Amino acid sequence: MKRTVKNNVSWIGKIDWELDTFHGDDYSVNHGSSQNAYLIEEEKTVLIDTVWTPHSTEFLDNLKKEVDLAKIDYIIVNHGEVDHSGVLPQLMKEIPNTPIYCTANAVKSLVGQYHHPEWNFNVVKTGDSLDIGNGKQLVFVEMRMLHWPDSMATYMTGDNILFSNDAFGQHFACDELFNDKADQCLLWEEAIKYYANILSPFSPLVKKKITEVVGLNLPIDIIAPSHGVIWRENPLQIIEAYAKWSDDYQEDQITVIYDTMWDGTKKIAHRIAQELSEMAPTTKIKVYSISTTDKNDIMTEVFKSKAIAVGSPTVGQDILSSVGGWLHFLKELKMTGKKAAVFGCYGWSGEGNKVLREMLEKAGFPVTDVEIKCNWNPTEEVLAQAKAVAQSLL
């Protein structure tokens, strides 16, 4: 069922209430999501993006109820990832000669995934436009690495709509569709989680692209992303948020992250948090166990933080695999402007802190010289060292 976005522009996507993971199992989805596709019916009929393959039959059935497929003049593919392009193989069987407008990299992506080089690809770059009648045009803006090399946005003149694809989205199911109708707490919680876990590695590019888009002086009345709500009330607020998030973002927060074998490292983690709370009563202090808390939710809190403390016991002359995997993911996200401290217990050889320090430094976190390295279970004397660790993070 299509739903009006503005004038002759409709949403024709899928609200995916049951979705609980994304990118395989790499991203946790706590409040459902949506795959947003859009139908423009001016003198020309244009389909912007589709949905994920599991919903392809449902999507096509709904689309056929709304429009004669043979009357679709153009298909815009803003990004070739399967959650946006998954219906194309079925759709192109029905309308095989329909022009597809996308970037050169998107052609590589689509051919690589679906093996149909014969599709009618039309390559576009920033500034290219397509006339859709009634005095309106679609203007294309490449969005390389936001978050794939093939990504672009499409701007519709006249109605002043930016179809931004993965930029400015959230994994958030909202039946009301629009940001002014959504639960604001959940919306912004999911928006910053999405940025922290997906777009954070590309923050320098985000800054440049925002400057470029603003420099185009395009009036923007609506930002229509490919996941989550459509921004129609003060749509520039999400661009302003991205500008902040892309610039060494931090709040007055310190997060303690750990995993433990026999609770010794856990005791140190909680003591560090206690000392931080006493020293800085206005600072948010949060504590997470890596093995019992979703990694994406932890990363969101790390993204908000000005400093972190990371702990692991030594095991096999190394650290726990749960902590090692988490730190690998942290390195992937390329966060900047934050510092770290390390801590942990050991029984015999005690290499854990050294490994933590090296991995954090590779992830871009300057690590304080102060640490807690505890042989066996921490005594009160050892726990008292948490005061110095806490001080080093403030």
Side-chain angles (χ1 to χ4, degrees):
M1 179 180 70
K2 71 180 183 181
R3 299 168 66 177
T4 299
V5 174
K6 184 179 181 182
N7 296 332
N8 294 326
V9 179
S10 303
W11 175 91
I12 190 161
K14 168 68 177 180
I15 297 179
D16 204 339
W17 297 103
E18 286 75 31
L19 190 70
D20 56 7
T21 61
F22 199 72
H23 287 160
D25 288 323
D26 204 45
Y27 185 102
S28 62
V29 176
N30 298 333
H31 302 288
S33 189
S34 65
Q35 294 125 48
N36 300 335
Y38 302 95
L39 186 66
I40 300 172
E41 297 173 279
E42 297 290 345
E43 290 180 42
K44 299 293 186 180
T45 299
V46 185
L47 177 64
I48 297 185
D49 295 322
T50 64
V51 301
W52 194 21
T53 307
H55 309 303
S56 58
T57 299
E58 177 186 353
F59 177 86
L60 266 184
D61 287 346
N62 289 337
L63 186 60
K64 288 175 182 178
K65 292 174 185 175
E66 303 298 345
V67 64
D68 179 352
L69 297 186
K71 293 184 178 179
I72 295 177
D73 295 290
Y74 311 124
I75 299 170
I76 309 300
V77 177
N78 280 326
H79 172 31
E81 199 170 3
V82 294
D83 52 317
H84 313 294
S85 66
V87 185
L88 281 179
Q90 285 184 245
L91 181 61
M92 298 309 289
K93 283 181 182 179
E94 306 226 18
I95 47 173
N97 298 315
T98 306
I100 297 172
Y101 288 79
C102 62
T103 65
N105 277 326
V107 175
K108 296 178 185 177
S109 169
L110 294 169
V111 172
Q113 292 178 91
Y114 303 120
H115 312 299
H116 285 286
E118 77 282 1
W119 287 350
N120 184 7
F121 292 111
N122 293 259
V123 172
V124 296
K125 60 186 184 301
T126 296
D128 288 347
S129 62
L130 182 64
D131 196 310
I132 58 174
N134 296 325
K136 299 179 182 180
Q137 292 183 321
L138 298 180
V139 180
F140 304 107
V141 181
E142 293 171 273
M143 304 280 276
R144 291 176 184 171
M145 298 316 300
L146 301 182
H147 64 122
W148 276 19
D150 69 342
S151 298
M152 73 174 185
T154 300
Y155 176 79
M156 181 178 175
T157 66
D159 289 316
N160 303 337
I161 301 174
L162 181 67
F163 299 97
S164 60
N165 198 259
D166 275 334
F168 313 127
Q170 334 84 46
H171 283 301
F172 177 38
C174 179
D175 187 62
E176 295 82 5
L177 284 186
F178 298 100
N179 68 306
D180 51 299
K181 297 292 186 181
D183 180 312
Q184 295 301 299
C185 290
L186 289 181
L187 168 57
W188 286 101
E189 175 186 315
E190 293 302 332
I192 195 170
K193 176 180 176 178
Y194 188 91
Y195 188 95
N197 285 272
I198 294 178
L199 290 168
S200 177
F202 314 114
S203 285
L205 297 174
V206 171
K207 290 173 69 173
K208 290 179 181 178
K209 186 54 61 175
I210 288 174
T211 300
E212 180 184 331
V213 170
V214 171
L216 293 174
N217 293 316
L218 300 172
I220 297 175
D221 294 340
I222 290 176
I223 295 176
S226 286
H227 299 295
V229 304
I230 297 168
W231 302 87
R232 68 177 180 185
E233 182 181 85
N234 183 19
L236 296 185
Q237 65 183 298
I238 187 60
I239 295 180
E240 292 164 0
Y242 268 49
K244 287 192 301 182
W245 295 341
S246 66
D247 191 18
D248 290 344
Y249 183 73
Q250 58 179 240
E251 299 175 12
D252 187 12
Q253 175 173 318
I254 299 175
T255 303
V256 181
I257 308 108
Y258 74 95
D259 204 354
T260 194
M261 291 178 68
W262 301 112
D263 285 352
T265 303
K266 176 181 178 180
K267 291 174 184 175
I268 298 172
H270 283 263
R271 185 61 171 267
I272 292 171
Q274 177 186 328
E275 295 291 349
L276 284 166
S277 294
E278 292 177 2
M279 290 181 186
T282 61
T283 299
K284 291 181 185 175
I285 309 300
K286 300 195 175 184
V287 184
Y288 295 100
S289 162
I290 289 172
S291 60
T292 60
T293 309
D294 176 79
K295 70 173 184 178
N296 302 111
D297 293 334
I298 297 176
M299 286 304 180
T300 306
E301 298 307 322
V302 171
F303 182 70
K304 295 177 185 176
S305 299
K306 60 184 179 182
I308 61 174
V310 182
S312 172
T314 298
V315 56
Q317 298 182 310
D318 211 305
I319 56 177
L320 285 171
S321 59
S322 58
V323 182
W326 184 85
L327 285 168
H328 181 83
F329 184 37
L330 182 66
K331 178 173 177 281
E332 178 186 325
L333 295 181
K334 296 181 173 64
M335 296 185 190
T336 55
K338 308 173 192 299
K339 60 181 176 178
V342 301
F343 61 95
C345 295
Y346 70 100
W348 304 104
S349 54
E351 293 89 350
N353 278 18
K354 179 175 180 289
V355 175
L356 289 173
R357 184 178 294 276
E358 289 173 351
M359 292 188 73
L360 281 163
E361 288 174 347
K362 286 179 180 177
F365 286 69
V367 182
T368 66
D369 292 332
V370 183
E371 62 178 46
I372 298 177
K373 182 177 179 181
C374 173
N375 191 207
W376 304 111
N377 215 19
T379 61
E380 180 55 37
E381 183 179 2
V382 170
L383 292 174
Q385 297 173 31
K387 187 183 293 290
V389 172
Q391 187 64 55
S392 74
L393 294 174
L394 294 172

